[in-house]
């Protein structure tokens, strides 16, 4: 049987999604610009804009401090929001957008706020030290709030597929009496080295600047690597389950909602702009740990998942074989 | 790695699983140092008893194909060796020829046993 056209996107954009993805982060960023202005009479004419290991090394007006960060922040937040909410057909992508934007907004807004707050009543701004602890705390708070808000987004409605997988897609030889499962742990080559490098640089910067609050960054990076760069993938009679090794994230795609499974070839930078949990140009969810073959799942509602793995034709074949069996002989 | 279980087969499930892992090692799909999935995960996915999977793993350990290490799970042993590609290809060619000649599997096995004796 040939595949029919994919069903229409099944995840309409809700008011809550717009609020958490755009409105709240933009409001927080604006607060980061407004609060320092409320204190403008108490702070010196020149405030630190840039820091070296010995303290502030470049100074400017309050406008320079607040405007640059706020404008860049709003552009980035709107860009991420557009990619994850407008292109992203899957609720997991939209949740990632909410988390990323909330963390970014709190991180960026905390820089002018904490700098201006530290400068209140100070006559010589060169004596100020980098406000790493409030920035670290704001980032952690943003991450926690982002996760909490992300999970208020509703799950997608059940949307069963009716078509059979593409005839040209892989199959495995599995008799009717046989049960098949495929399990594999995937972790990265190149991306692990990049992540380790980033963690070491973040540690070194914190130590050299004696900015202890910034140690939260390498700690967060370790959790992020365990969560986004190492995955346990399982295909069984229920569907496809992908769990991060840290067990913080689980993605389950039931067989009933899969239209077809195939093999794709992935170049992380070209196709997904990097490694980890990514969003592709077509809004697909990418669980990308290396270049090469990937399991390419088409789900109802125009959703697509690309999961890098060795020997992708075996899990793709098993999924298609199980779907063929279930849809041709419904229980 | 793909595991398959036929509950209607007369071959015990632990032997079916051990056979599949053994073949994966012999064909070079699993190399020395590769980690096998945790027995609990395989048992859960296949909906079979945990001890059935552990039995298969222990059987392979006794054969020297895998090593079971506390806290590190099941690893393909350094002694486990893939069959040279030429041998795999020769076996595939033999099977093709046997099919063309309509020979039953037990006849082919008898011929190979005789040749090896």
């Amino acid at each position: 049987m040939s595949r029919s056209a994919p069903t229409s996107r099944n995840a309409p954009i809700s008011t809550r999604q717009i609020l958490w993805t755009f409105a709240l982060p933009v409001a927080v960023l604006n607060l980061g610009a407004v609060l320092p202005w409320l204190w403008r009479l108490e702070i010196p004419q020149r405030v630190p804009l840039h820091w070296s290991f010995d303290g502030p090394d470049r100074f400017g007006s309050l406008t320079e401090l607040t405007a640059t960060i706020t404008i860049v922040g709003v552009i980035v937040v709107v860009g991420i929001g557009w990619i994850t909410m407008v292109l992203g057909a899957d609720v997991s992508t939209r949740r990632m957008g909410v988390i990323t934007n909330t963390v970014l907004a709190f991180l960026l807004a905390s820089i002018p706020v904490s700098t201006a707050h530290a400068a209140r009543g100070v006559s010589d701004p060169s004596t100020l030290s980098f406000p790493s602890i409030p920035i670290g705390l704001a980032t952690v708070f943003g991450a926690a709030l982002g996760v909490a808000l992300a999970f208020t987004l509703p799950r997608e409605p059940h949307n069963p597929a009716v078509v059979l997988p593409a005839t040209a897609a892989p199959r495995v030889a599995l008799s009717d009496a046989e049960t098949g499962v495929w399990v594999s742990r995937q972790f990265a080559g190149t991306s692990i080295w990049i992540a380790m490098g980033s963690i070491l640089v973040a540690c070194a910067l914190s130590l050299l600047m004696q900015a202890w609050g910034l140690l939260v960054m390498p700690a967060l990076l370790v959790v992020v690597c365990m969560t986004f760069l190492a995955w346990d993938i399982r295909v069984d009679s229920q569907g496809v389950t992908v769990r991060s090794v840290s067990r913080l994230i689980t993605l389950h795609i039931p067989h009933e909602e899969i239209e077809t499974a195939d093999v794709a070839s992935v170049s992380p930078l070209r196709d997904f702009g990097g490694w980890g949990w990514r969003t592709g140009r077509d809004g697909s969810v990418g669980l990308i740990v290396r270049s090469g073959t990937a399991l390419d799942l088409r789900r109802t509602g125009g959703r697509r998942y690309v999961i890098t793995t060795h020997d992708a034709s075996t899990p793709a074949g098993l999924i298609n074989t199980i779907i063929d069996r279930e849809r041709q002989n419904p229980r | 790695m793909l595991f398959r279980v036929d509950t209607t087969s007369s071959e015990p499930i632990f032997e079916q699983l051990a056979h599949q892992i053994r073949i994966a090692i012999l064909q070079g799909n699993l190399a020395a140092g590769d980690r096998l999935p945790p027995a609990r995960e395989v048992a859960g996915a296949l909906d079979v008893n945990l001890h059935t999977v552990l039995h298969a793993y222990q059987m392979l350990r006794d054969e020297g194909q895998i090593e079971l290490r506390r806290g590190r799970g099941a690893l393909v042993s350094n002694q486990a060796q893939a069959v040279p590609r030429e041998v795999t290809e020769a076996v595939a060619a033999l099977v093709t020829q046997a099919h063309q000649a309509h020979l039953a599997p037990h006849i082919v096995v008898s011929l190979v046993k005789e040749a090896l004796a």
Side-chain angles (χ1 to χ4, degrees):
Chain A
M1 186 189 284
S2 65
R3 291 178 64 208
S4 66
T7 46
S8 61
R9 290 160 67 97
N10 68 338
I13 296 167
S14 66
T15 312
R16 197 180 293 176
Q17 280 171 2
I18 295 169
L19 277 177
W20 299 160
T21 312
F22 292 108
L24 178 76
V26 169
V28 170
L29 284 166
N30 279 300
L31 199 64
V34 168
L35 272 180
W37 273 95
L38 297 179
W39 304 323
R40 68 187 180 280
L41 299 177
E42 304 169 53
I43 59 181
Q45 292 270 311
R46 313 283 286 167
V47 287
L49 296 180
H50 190 269
W51 309 77
S52 71
F53 297 128
D54 304 322
D57 61 356
R58 196 158 67 81
F59 300 87
S61 66
L62 193 60
T63 313
E64 268 186 275
L65 174 68
T66 54
T68 318
I69 287 180
T70 309
I71 292 168
V72 170
V74 169
I75 291 171
V76 171
V77 156
V78 169
I80 291 173
W82 185 78
I83 291 169
T84 57
M85 197 177 76
V86 180
L87 289 180
D90 187 87
V91 73
S92 62
T93 306
R94 297 178 179 187
R95 284 178 174 159
M96 286 295 170
V98 169
I99 295 169
T100 311
N101 274 357
T102 315
V103 172
L104 267 179
F106 274 89
L107 167 66
L108 294 178
S110 69
I111 296 172
V113 170
S114 54
T115 305
H117 187 266
R120 288 170 78 183
V122 171
S123 54
D124 180 6
S126 64
T127 58
L128 291 169
S129 55
F130 185 67
S132 61
I133 290 175
I135 293 173
L137 287 174
T139 309
V140 172
F141 177 76
L145 181 66
V147 170
L149 293 177
F151 282 91
T152 66
L153 297 186
R155 296 173 72 92
E156 290 140 326
H158 183 53
N159 186 354
V162 289
V163 294
L164 285 178
T167 45
R171 301 291 195 282
V172 295
L174 198 69
S175 75
D176 286 347
E178 279 184 312
T179 306
V181 300
W182 184 84
V183 282
S184 177
R185 174 168 285 188
Q186 297 293 321
F187 52 90
T190 317
S191 56
I192 285 284
W193 292 114
I194 293 173
M196 296 271 280
S198 310
I199 291 166
L200 285 175
V201 167
C203 279
L205 274 178
S206 305
L207 294 175
L208 285 171
M209 291 175 73
Q210 296 193 333
W212 308 119
L214 283 188
L215 278 173
V216 75
M217 297 299 175
L220 274 178
L221 275 172
V222 170
V223 178
V224 165
C225 292
M226 294 278 289
T227 306
F228 295 104
L229 295 177
W231 301 96
D232 284 327
I233 312 171
R234 167 167 150 179
V235 177
D236 58 22
S237 59
Q238 304 301 309
V240 183
T241 307
V242 189
R243 274 198 304 178
S244 65
V245 167
S246 70
R247 297 293 180 254
L248 285 175
I249 296 182
T250 301
L251 173 71
H252 177 73
I253 307 165
H255 286 311
E256 305 108 75
E257 296 194 358
I258 296 174
E259 292 176 336
T260 197
D262 216 328
V263 177
S265 180
V266 171
S267 167
L269 282 171
R270 191 187 64 217
D271 299 328
F272 287 92
W275 295 264
W277 184 299
R278 315 292 302 185
T279 301
R281 279 190 291 270
D282 59 353
S284 54
V285 175
L287 273 60
I288 309 296
V289 298
R290 67 161 67 81
S291 61
T293 58
L295 178 61
D296 184 352
L297 295 174
R298 305 285 176 152
R299 187 178 182 181
T300 53
R303 292 166 288 176
R304 182 183 177 209
Y305 305 81
V306 180
I307 304 157
T308 53
T309 172
H310 291 305
D311 185 27
S313 65
T314 305
L318 180 60
I319 294 164
N320 291 329
T321 306
I322 293 172
I323 294 174
D324 281 341
R325 191 192 278 180
E326 287 183 353
R327 265 169 228 164
Q328 284 168 334
N329 307 296
R331 274 172 272 174
Chain B
M1 144 141 217
L2 178 65
F3 293 92
R4 56 182 78 197
V5 160
D6 184 349
T7 47
T8 62
S9 166
S10 56
E11 187 182 15
I13 291 173
F14 74 90
E15 280 184 3
Q16 293 180 36
L17 295 174
H19 172 74
Q20 288 158 28
I21 297 167
R22 197 181 296 119
I23 289 294
I25 294 170
L26 292 175
Q27 291 181 338
N29 294 328
L30 284 175
D34 280 357
R35 192 185 301 269
L36 293 180
R40 191 175 299 279
E41 169 124 26
V42 178
L46 281 167
D47 200 17
V48 298
N49 193 298
L50 171 65
H51 292 98
T52 305
V53 184
L54 287 173
H55 193 168
Y57 280 14
Q58 283 156 1
M59 192 172 158
L60 291 164
R61 180 198 57 194
D62 295 345
E63 291 174 14
Q65 301 277 8
I66 66 171
E67 292 168 20
L68 296 177
R69 294 183 191 165
R70 192 174 293 276
R72 292 196 63 203
L75 301 172
V76 176
S77 157
N78 289 326
Q79 299 158 17
Q81 281 188 337
V83 172
R85 196 162 55 90
E86 295 77 11
V87 177
T88 316
E89 286 170 358
V91 171
L94 170 68
V95 170
T96 307
Q97 294 286 332
H99 277 309
Q100 285 172 358
H102 304 294
L103 294 178
H106 69 275
I107 302 286
V108 182
V109 171
S110 298
L111 288 169
V112 172
K113 272 187 181 170
E114 180 60 24
L116 287 171

